Amino acid sequence: MKEKIKAKVMDSPKMKRAFHRIVTEIIEHNHNLENLVIIGIRTRGIYLGKRIAKLIKDLEKIKIPLGVLDITLYRDDFLEFELQHMVKKTEIDFSIKNKDVLLVDDVLFTGRTIRAAMDSIFDLGRPKSIQLFVFIDRGHRELPVRADYVGKFLPTSRREIVHVHLKEIDGNDEVLITEPSGIIK
């Protein structure tokens, strides 16, 4: 499907400032950073989680464990034959029991990805708490999910698509709003 760019919402400097602000909030909220672990949801949540862990290490000199979560098998919106070709690996080599888990994703939309991620986390153990970081909260919730840390609230229509581009994957940092092209409004 072709998409047309409607708006460039954030560029690299704006994203960097948002990250610094959010990491400061995370540090202020978590008085015991030694109990904090970060779990990034595939794919962009991994790279956002790495950035958060690096900034915490730079600012507080504490290395936060970082894991990778694949939620494919926990999703409620894929058919079984689709799942077989999409499953990736969850890579969490530390215990989450009684830990403060910082769950990281790029865009919060309906809440279904986060519900699936929490189901997956509870299958790994019982954390002390789960906090949610999303870079963009675009609204349109279908489930009662709210992020603790948000880079930017970005009201959108359901028709619009939000892309968080990261230099690690996409070659540059930016947030775009796109819309399918060629469709009559």
Side-chain angles (χ1 to χ4, degrees):
M1 166 178 35
K2 293 272 188 182
E3 296 176 11
K4 67 177 179 178
I5 296 174
K6 288 185 72 176
K8 183 175 185 175
V9 179
M10 296 179 89
D11 57 13
S12 183
K14 286 181 182 176
M15 288 179 71
K16 188 174 184 177
R17 283 192 300 275
F19 269 106
H20 282 282
R21 175 183 50 81
I22 295 167
V23 169
T24 301
E25 289 178 31
I26 292 167
I27 291 168
E28 289 174 357
H29 181 81
N30 290 278
H31 303 293
N32 181 8
L33 287 172
E34 307 219 345
N35 198 54
L36 185 67
V37 298
I38 298 173
I39 297 178
I41 299 173
R42 282 196 189 275
T43 294
R44 283 172 176 74
I46 299 166
Y47 298 99
L48 294 170
K50 286 180 181 182
R51 290 183 186 191
I52 293 167
K54 182 183 181 323
L55 279 172
I56 291 174
K57 186 176 181 187
D58 291 348
L59 294 170
E60 298 295 317
K61 311 301 183 233
I62 295 173
K63 184 176 180 183
I64 306 294
L66 177 65
V68 174
L69 187 64
D70 180 61
I71 57 141
T72 306
L73 292 176
Y74 292 85
R75 294 193 62 105
D76 63 2
D77 56 353
F78 286 123
L79 298 174
E80 189 174 326
F81 70 89
E82 291 175 319
L83 290 174
Q84 294 171 354
H85 301 288
M86 299 176 67
V87 176
K88 305 276 194 280
K89 188 176 179 184
T90 290
E91 301 167 30
I92 299 174
D93 61 356
F94 49 84
S95 173
I96 64 165
K97 184 179 179 184
N98 294 319
K99 294 291 187 179
D100 296 307
V101 172
L102 179 62
L103 184 60
V104 179
D105 202 8
D106 58 345
V107 178
L108 179 55
F109 184 31
T110 63
R112 293 187 178 279
T113 296
I114 304 308
R115 186 223 31 100
M118 289 192 303
D119 286 349
S120 177
I121 286 171
F122 280 110
D123 279 351
L124 299 172
R126 188 174 192 273
K128 179 180 173 190
S129 69
I130 298 176
Q131 302 165 45
L132 178 58
F133 164 92
V134 295
F135 199 70
I136 300 293
D137 183 340
R138 63 172 290 191
H140 303 286
R141 222 67 84 238
E142 294 173 4
L143 299 173
V145 173
R146 182 184 62 81
D148 300 286
Y149 311 101
V150 178
K152 184 168 185 63
F153 290 96
L154 187 60
T156 61
S157 74
R158 283 193 166 271
R159 176 181 165 76
E160 294 171 323
I161 301 162
V162 175
H163 294 282
V164 176
H165 291 167
L166 301 174
K167 63 184 170 190
E168 297 91 335
I169 306 169
D170 307 299
N172 64 327
D173 286 341
E174 65 184 0
V175 177
L176 302 174
I177 296 177
T178 65
E179 187 174 65
S181 62
I183 298 175
I184 300 172
K185 292 184 181 180

